[in-house]
Amino acid sequence: MKVDNDKAKEYFKKYGVPDVVEDLLHALLYECPPDPVAFMIQHLKLLTSVGPTLREKYLIGRTLGTGHFSTVRHGTCRATRQEYAIKIIDMNLVRQEGKEEQLQTEVHIIENLHHPNTTRVREVLKTDHHYFIVME
């Protein structure tokens, strides 16, 4: 199903739909999960754990990939409508494996890496439980 993001955004603003609900509806429309209720519960847990800064800046969408410590989600900048990949790293898993220093080194390297053949990092956000790496 094709969704007109601008019309949807206008409707959400007009009727005062909270950003968290907008994010949830957006993810449901684009992922079409086989179990929508379980998907909504999982997505709401993610949205409530990411903190207000990330939710205010980005519309969090479908899952692009998963790894041992992280999940990569599609993200759309609310201000510019520019699309990004947002790597969400679970710090609890990183701490359990004793990889905090390695993660901090990796984040420092990718933030400072500027080459035409590599993915650019737009910003890195951090909460007590997650790292969020916003990439082109």
Side-chain angles (χ1 to χ4, degrees):
M1 172 164 76
K2 177 76 172 121
V3 177
D4 184 336
N5 283 332
D6 293 331
K7 282 187 180 179
K9 187 78 170 168
E10 183 180 310
Y11 179 85
F12 291 148
K13 264 193 177 141
K14 180 178 179 181
Y15 293 101
V17 175
D19 288 345
V20 172
V21 174
E22 179 185 354
D23 288 348
L24 182 59
L25 291 172
H26 186 267
L28 277 169
L29 287 171
Y30 284 96
E31 291 205 28
C32 301
D35 184 353
V37 174
F39 175 82
M40 288 189 316
I41 291 168
Q42 178 186 14
H43 198 73
L44 283 171
K45 284 180 182 177
L46 169 74
L47 291 174
T48 54
S49 72
V50 298
T53 304
L54 189 71
R55 282 197 318 266
E56 288 169 3
K57 289 184 173 185
Y58 300 97
L59 180 64
I60 309 296
R62 68 188 182 282
T63 300
L64 301 175
T66 58
H68 183 68
F69 296 122
S70 64
T71 301
V72 179
R73 307 288 296 247
H74 178 269
T76 305
C77 178
R78 292 182 188 277
T80 66
R81 307 308 288 171
Q82 178 71 34
E83 295 182 348
Y84 297 98
I86 303 174
K87 186 174 188 177
I88 303 169
I89 302 168
D90 186 335
M91 289 303 295
N92 294 326
L93 291 175
V94 172
R95 287 183 190 108
Q96 286 175 5
E97 298 281 330
K99 304 280 186 181
E100 294 151 287
E101 189 174 320
Q102 182 178 338
L103 174 63
Q104 290 174 355
T105 301
E106 179 183 336
V107 169
H108 178 74
I109 289 169
I110 63 173
E111 279 183 304
N112 294 294
L113 185 62
H114 304 287
H115 188 275
N117 295 333
T118 61
T119 303
R120 295 278 319 243
V121 173
R122 181 168 195 255
E123 69 179 316
V124 176
L125 303 167
K126 184 180 175 187
T127 66
D128 291 340
H129 302 287
H130 295 91
Y131 258 100
F132 306 100
I133 303 172
V134 182
M135 303 172 282
E136 294 178 346

